[in-house]
Amino acid sequence: MVTFALFDSEVSGAGVAASRVAGAALVGLAVACWPRRTGEATPQALRGMLVYSLLATAILVVLGLGAHVAGKLLWPAVVAHLAITIWLLAAMRASRTSG
């Protein structure tokens, strides 16, 4: 259902397995980036999330423009990932100036 809304296509065959592995990787990334008890994120966590969000944005844009694979939620997802990328860049800059 989500893949159809994003890419206007269903997942089948090996794509189902690959999607599950990618989902597991995202859970692992989220656990690795969990904030400290003080509530602040480590620079490594910010970097890891920044790389993920930047790559996700780029991949979604390429799919939308190059492969013409776009469902109703593809461009809102691009905007969301771009906003998260900008926020992470700002957070990294703020942590460098305060630390």
Side-chain angles (χ1 to χ4, degrees), residues 30-84:
V31 170
C33 295
W34 203 267
R36 300 180 202 168
R37 290 181 191 253
T38 59
E40 56 188 71
T42 64
Q44 296 85 356
L46 289 174
R47 247 190 322 261
M49 289 302 297
L50 176 65
V51 168
Y52 162 71
S53 191
L54 187 62
L55 290 175
T57 303
I59 290 167
L60 292 173
V61 167
V62 167
L63 286 173
L65 296 177
H68 304 290
V69 180
K72 293 178 182 179
L73 294 180
L74 179 71
W75 295 111
V78 168
V79 170
H81 276 286
L82 184 59
I84 291 167

Side-chain angles (χ1 to χ4, degrees), residues 14-28:
V16 173
S19 296
R20 289 180 180 159
V21 170
L26 286 177
V27 171

